[in-house]
Amino acid sequence: MRALLPLLVFTALSAGAGPVRAQSCDALVDKVTAETAAKTAERRSDYASFTAGPDMTLTLACGGPNLSSVGAQFRGANPPDHYYDLFGQAGHAVTGIDAAVITEAAHRAQATATKLRHSNVDLGGARVTCSAMVSPDKGPLTLCAVIENSNRS
């Protein structure tokens, strides 16, 4: 029995990990909707998607502690300022980094992505990454994400 005790403790702790993660993602979904006024379109234990207008969507991927990401998609090559503002607000909800800092990083990354197809801007504790592409069925797309990392310096 003594040899089984560590296994039982591990099993009990593992069984509790699922709901804690789901609550954490639920909290992030609530933060994103509160900060952006986007409407939740799909919600799972570790992922959510949102509508934010006819040509804009958001996606949220919930990772472990402090390792989540939020993306903003725009159907078009030249997103309006509202796209960047919305992305900054969603990024702030997930990372805690000032929305204006995320917005400015997205502008820089997207400007470079139009020339190179993809670009990154590193922030303390997160990376903003943007891509510019043309989808055969959807036309021009702009995709940006802010991704937390474990380097919180």
Side-chain angles (χ1 to χ4, degrees):
M1 178 67 181
R2 189 167 191 184
L4 291 176
L5 186 58
L7 180 60
L8 292 173
V9 170
F10 175 76
T11 303
L13 290 174
S14 297
V20 171
R21 185 172 177 179
Q23 287 177 347
S24 174
C25 196
D26 284 343
L28 286 175
V29 169
D30 293 344
K31 281 178 154 181
V32 169
T33 55
E35 286 214 30
T36 66
K39 305 292 183 222
T40 305
E42 182 181 350
R43 193 172 185 153
R44 294 189 301 229
S45 64
D46 62 349
Y47 170 85
S49 64
F50 309 82
T51 57
D55 293 324
M56 282 190 270
T57 58
L58 297 172
T59 52
L60 170 67
C62 304
N66 299 321
L67 294 175
S68 296
S69 64
V70 65
Q73 301 78 38
F74 175 74
R75 191 176 287 196
N78 300 306
D81 285 338
H82 174 68
Y83 168 83
Y84 295 102
D85 294 339
L86 182 80
F87 176 65
Q89 294 163 343
H92 174 261
V94 172
T95 67
I97 296 170
D98 185 80
V101 171
I102 294 171
T103 299
E104 192 274 327
H107 275 287
R108 288 190 331 214
Q110 198 276 337
T112 302
T114 59
K115 298 173 190 137
L116 304 176
R117 290 190 49 151
H118 186 81
S119 180
N120 299 318
V121 174
D122 287 319
L123 303 173
R127 171 177 280 182
V128 171
T129 183
C130 291
S131 295
M133 62 181 285
V134 177
S135 168
D137 57 333
K138 295 181 182 175
L141 298 172
T142 300
L143 313 165
C144 289
V146 60
I147 305 161
E148 290 184 299
N149 60 45
S150 58
N151 177 12
R152 304 302 270 174
S153 57

